[in-house]
Amino acid sequence: MKKSKEMKKDKEKSKWRRVMLAVALVLVAVSIINTFVLITLAGKATEGSGQVSLCINHPPTIQAISNQSVDHNSMFTLQINATDSDNHSLVYYDNTTLFNISNSTGLINFTPTIVQIGNYSILITVRDYTSSCPANVSTAFNLNIYNLPPVNNATIPNQSWEIDVWLTGLDLDNYFYDPENDTLSYSSVHGDNIEIDINSLNVVTFYPDVGWNGVTWARFIASDTLATKESNNLTLGVGDVTPPTIFVHQPNITESSNKLKSILKVSISERGTIKYRLNNQSNVTLCTSCFGGIKNITLPYFGNHSITIYAIDMYGNLNSKVHNFTNYLDSDNDGIPDSEENDADNDGLNDTNDCLIGDASNVNFNFGQLNLTINGSTNLSKQFSGNNPIRFTNGTLPILEFDYNFSFNYSACQRLFRLSEIILEKQENNAARGSVLVRGVNLSTESTKTIYVDRINSSGNVCLKDADITEISEISSGCNETGEYNLTCPGSLGNYTCSVLTSQYKITGVTHSGAIELTGEAPAAETPSSSSSSSSGGGGGGGGGSYKIIEEKIIEVGKNATCEAQTKCTPWIPVNCTSPETQNQTCILVRTNCIVVEKVIEKVCGCVPQWECSVWSECTLNDIQIRTCTDKNNCGQALGMDIQKECEFTNVEAEIKPSAIALVGKAFWGGLKRSADYGVYWITLVMLLPLILFLVRLRNGKKISILFNDTSFKVDEHEIKVCTVVCVNQQDKVNLLEKIKTSHDEEFKIEREIE
């Protein structure tokens, strides 16, 4: 019996051994077939019987993830892709606090902040949680969250302003921005003699040292807390040590006219004195304390000319500019130079047979009415030959008389007489002395002229200068220079005779001619204009005359061409005083042209205004810039500085053939304002540029000056708001320049049917 039980136990053990061996074989086979299958074996056994269960699970598969980068303040989106061959549901996990991955979809979606900038190693885990024996799989990637530095998107302009004035209104937000819209903070670095404050609105105020003028510098730095960006270097001119900029609007580089006259139109960038010198003649003052001026100038001849413009600002800074131009004769003013016509004066006579070119309208004169007769006749549209008396009168009063020999031989003129070359000038209406100047009448050696001078002071003496002069002012005050003759009227002196008429002096025997009445004493010499002033006005810082220059003199002229501008001043003396007492200060100034000046400045004791002025505004539609100035000390004194000035234009000149028509179209204008979309402005310019290039290529023609600003341009002096210019190559009587001159700066459109 005992042996039978032992045999039964041995059979059961053998049975279990076979089961275990079978399980082991199965496990080996599964492992060989798929090493990624998860098998779970569970069971329990008793002495007599047992139970086992087997779980087989394929782990999920996750797609590899490349390294990622994202700008902070930008949305970061990444989809994690995983699959499960057993179709189990998946759940996603991450190991970071930067974001929370969607557990069900594996989507990462978040916007990093500036404080999260850096490099992160991210581990993503996927689990097939619906399996009886869940399995995990993981992958890692690197995430870089970065920051872009601020951008300096515009050049900050150089600044210049008056001495002892604070300058404000420069908004740094107009010149920087941050690509991620981070809040920017600003700081500055700067040179000597200036302090800079940036308020909470990022507006800059410049505080120069009291009494200092000169040039210094500044630079601004924008920061988003992690990165910075610097601006360009600004030049800061206090006391305006920079010479004014000169703009020559007329004469055009090429122009034509029916007489020896041209229009000089000049503007400068700041208030000052403008002078000019034509063809190396004497300097002439165009205007003082001005931003620009217009003047009719008399040319000595047709052809090439050079005019030098001088601008002197209120601080004595000098600038000059040379402008070269060519003036062609156009006797009949039809837009075609005489050299290109057979009948230049349009009198019906071919120029080969016409010894007289022009009529009275071609003569340059400065008085009310000019009459011209030849042989006592006003008919000038006929062929002249031989010796003929010619007489010019101002109404009924004679001005000039002479005989002229029109040489006409072999059916052609041997000697042309061009009236456009004659210049007749009398004294101004309010002059204290009569005078006359005659130019452009070139007679043969045996002929002379008779001139007439108005009797205004009845002194009985006339100074005659029988030389080729361009201005009556070239006659000396004492009538004692070379070529000058003091004539007693009535009386004779050499070849000259002076007679006394009712209201004129008649002088005969003259070859060239300029004459002026003399007084009992030599006339006082004209006092030259000065760029300095007894009151500092906009530059003294005191405004309302609180500062006054009581002495200014040049104490040294340096040998160098340029110097660094410097100013050194003594303290105000006396230190303590009360109104109406005054204090004095002595300053030594070294200017950029190396002239050393000593100034003694006086101011009234008591309240001294401290002016704070904004930067100049953008150009308005009226072509002006404005600013506001406030007295921070509230002294109640008047402002002594300009609060508006003319805009500066960029001059682009386009050449047009005389036979071309210019059709000016009023386009794109419909409520466009300066603050409007600049896209229209640029589109207009793009349309204009090919045209301008086309016009410049045309030869032997006139030129018009096209001046651009933000939302308009000017043709010559006349503004056309956002319009286009089209030129067609066809003959037409319409003269564009004449139309423009009569348009009075209004918006206009010249329309002409094109054949």
Side-chain angles (χ1 to χ4, degrees), residues 51-298:
Q51 179 180 347
V52 66
S53 62
L54 179 65
C55 177
I56 300 176
N57 179 33
H58 296 84
T61 301
I62 188 170
Q63 184 177 333
I65 305 171
S66 61
N67 292 333
Q68 305 288 314
S69 62
V70 62
D71 186 7
H72 81 278
N73 281 357
S74 298
M75 180 71 72
F76 177 75
T77 301
L78 180 65
Q79 177 65 56
I80 306 300
N81 296 312
T83 59
D84 188 85
S85 60
D86 301 321
N87 292 323
H88 294 147
S89 297
L90 302 178
V91 63
Y92 299 82
Y93 304 95
D94 61 63
N95 69 334
T96 181
T97 58
L98 287 174
F99 55 82
N100 290 315
I101 190 171
S102 173
N103 297 124
S104 59
T105 65
L107 178 66
I108 301 172
N109 192 12
F110 82 110
T111 301
T113 65
I114 193 169
V115 298
Q116 294 175 319
I117 289 174
N119 288 301
Y120 299 88
S121 179
I122 308 297
L123 182 68
I124 302 297
T125 300
V126 180
R127 183 179 178 86
D128 54 352
Y129 69 94
T130 58
S131 171
S132 298
C133 44
N136 298 335
V137 65
S138 298
T139 189
F141 68 93
N142 186 71
L143 176 61
N144 176 36
I145 302 174
Y146 60 87
N147 173 57
L148 293 175
V151 176
N152 178 207
N153 61 318
T155 299
I156 303 179
N158 297 328
Q159 303 293 325
S160 63
W161 67 98
E162 297 83 354
I163 189 173
D164 284 330
V165 171
W166 299 340
L167 181 69
T168 190
L170 185 70
D171 190 346
L172 295 178
D173 288 335
N174 293 333
Y175 304 97
F176 292 93
Y177 75 91
D178 189 84
E180 300 102 352
N181 293 321
D182 295 331
T183 300
L184 296 179
S185 61
Y186 298 96
S187 59
S188 67
V189 291
H190 54 80
D192 297 333
N193 304 112
I194 195 110
E195 294 297 330
I196 296 177
D197 175 69
I198 305 172
N199 68 14
S200 59
L201 298 177
N202 300 326
V203 175
V204 178
T205 301
F206 300 94
Y207 300 97
D209 293 348
V210 175
W212 175 79
N213 75 295
V215 176
T216 186
W217 61 273
R219 189 167 63 252
F220 295 95
I221 302 100
S223 172
D224 62 2
T225 71
L226 293 178
T228 61
K229 179 64 178 180
E230 291 192 354
S231 73
N232 56 289
N233 266 16
L234 283 71
T235 298
L236 307 176
V238 179
D240 197 7
V241 297
T242 303
T245 304
I246 301 171
F247 306 93
V248 181
H249 307 291
Q250 285 181 282
N252 298 319
I253 294 177
T254 301
E255 64 176 19
S256 62
S257 61
N258 68 339
K259 60 181 66 179
L260 281 173
K261 288 284 187 181
S262 185
I263 297 176
L264 174 62
K265 182 179 181 183
V266 176
S267 64
I268 56 178
S269 57
E270 56 184 298
R271 187 175 296 279
T273 296
I274 304 176
K275 298 185 178 184
Y276 70 90
R277 184 176 74 243
L278 176 65
N279 297 326
N280 293 318
Q281 299 173 4
S282 301
N283 287 346
V284 179
T285 299
L286 180 62
C287 61
T288 59
S289 188
C290 60
F291 282 105
I294 301 175
K295 185 174 183 178
N296 290 320
I297 55 175
T298 301

Side-chain angles (χ1 to χ4, degrees), residues 425-470:
E425 293 183 355
K426 292 177 59 175
Q427 74 281 347
E428 300 293 337
N429 291 333
N430 58 351
R433 297 181 291 165
S435 65
V436 67
L437 174 68
V438 177
R439 292 178 57 197
V441 179
N442 299 315
L443 305 178
S444 59
T445 55
E446 68 274 7
S447 301
T448 60
K449 293 175 284 208
T450 298
I451 63 174
Y452 294 82
V453 179
D454 289 349
R455 292 176 61 197
I456 295 179
N457 62 27
S458 300
S459 66
N461 286 81
V462 175
C463 182
L464 170 69
K465 185 155 189 170
D466 202 4
D468 188 13
I469 60 176
T470 58

Side-chain angles (χ1 to χ4, degrees), residues 306-347:
S306 179
I307 189 166
T308 304
I309 310 297
Y310 300 96
I312 308 166
D313 66 15
M314 59 184 297
Y315 299 99
N317 300 303
L318 172 67
N319 197 7
S320 63
K321 182 174 185 178
V322 177
H323 180 72
N324 298 315
F325 66 99
T326 301
N327 183 272
Y328 295 105
L329 174 60
D330 178 15
S331 296
D332 57 1
N333 205 27
D334 64 352
I336 304 176
D338 285 6
S339 59
E340 299 180 12
E341 294 186 291
N342 295 322
D343 183 7
D345 56 1
N346 198 28
D347 62 354

Side-chain angles (χ1 to χ4, degrees), residues 414-702:
Q414 306 300 311
R415 187 182 181 193
L416 283 179
F417 187 56
R418 296 185 184 276
L419 292 172
S420 59
E421 297 175 352
I422 297 178
I423 299 172
L424 301 177
E425 293 183 355
K426 292 177 59 175
Q427 74 281 347
E428 300 293 337
N429 291 333
N430 58 351
R433 297 181 291 165
S435 65
V436 67
L437 174 68
V438 177
R439 292 178 57 197
V441 179
N442 299 315
L443 305 178
S444 59
T445 55
E446 68 274 7
S447 301
T448 60
K449 293 175 284 208
T450 298
I451 63 174
Y452 294 82
V453 179
D454 289 349
R455 292 176 61 197
I456 295 179
N457 62 27
S458 300
S459 66
N461 286 81
V462 175
C463 182
L464 170 69
K465 185 155 189 170
D466 202 4
D468 188 13
I469 60 176
T470 58
E471 300 282 345
I472 202 68
S473 59
E474 295 179 40
I475 301 177
S476 68
S477 58
C479 196
N480 52 9
E481 299 290 339
T482 302
E484 295 179 353
Y485 304 92
N486 189 337
L487 303 180
T488 300
C489 305
S492 298
L493 180 63
N495 296 324
Y496 309 112
T497 299
C498 182
S499 304
V500 179
L501 307 180
T502 302
S503 60
Q504 291 179 299
Y505 297 106
K506 177 181 179 181
I507 305 172
T508 62
V510 178
T511 302
H512 293 287
S513 21
I516 187 171
E517 275 189 294
L518 293 177
T519 58
E521 57 184 9
E526 294 183 1
T527 302
S529 61
S530 173
S531 62
S532 62
S533 174
S534 61
S535 174
S536 66
S546 60
Y547 286 84
K548 182 171 65 176
I549 299 174
I550 60 176
E551 183 181 0
E552 180 176 0
K553 60 183 178 181
I554 297 175
I555 59 176
E556 184 180 346
V557 177
K559 296 181 180 180
N560 296 329
T562 59
C563 291
E564 180 182 354
Q566 300 182 47
T567 299
K568 300 294 183 183
C569 298
T570 64
W572 290 101
I573 301 174
V575 177
N576 299 315
C577 63
T578 57
S579 181
E581 297 176 332
T582 59
Q583 296 173 295
N584 286 350
Q585 180 186 64
T586 300
C587 295
I588 304 297
L589 298 84
V590 179
R591 292 177 174 162
T592 54
N593 56 6
C594 297
I595 294 177
V596 183
V597 177
E598 180 183 80
K599 284 185 180 183
V600 179
I601 306 171
E602 180 184 81
K603 72 173 182 177
V604 178
C605 301
C607 184
V608 177
Q610 176 57 69
W611 294 106
E612 180 180 86
C613 296
S614 65
V615 297
W616 291 103
S617 71
E618 296 295 326
C619 288
T620 67
L621 293 179
N622 295 323
D623 298 331
I624 62 171
Q625 292 174 281
I626 59 175
R627 66 174 178 175
T628 58
C629 293
T630 305
D631 178 11
K632 307 299 288 186
N633 292 341
N634 296 316
C635 293
Q637 298 187 23
L639 177 66
M641 294 172 291
D642 298 311
I643 59 173
Q644 72 176 40
K645 67 177 182 179
E646 294 180 356
C647 297
E648 300 173 9
F649 288 94
T650 302
N651 196 358
V652 179
E653 293 183 328
E655 187 174 359
I656 302 178
K657 281 188 176 179
S659 60
I661 310 170
L663 301 179
V664 183
K666 195 172 56 175
F668 304 114
W669 184 257
L672 179 65
K673 298 181 179 177
R674 192 160 299 278
S675 59
D677 183 8
Y678 280 92
V680 176
Y681 163 69
W682 286 111
I683 290 171
T684 304
L685 288 186
V686 170
M687 294 178 64
L688 285 171
L689 286 176
L691 169 65
I692 295 172
L693 294 175
F694 166 74
L695 295 176
V696 171
R697 289 197 298 268
L698 296 178
R699 297 179 179 176
N700 301 324
K702 293 186 176 182

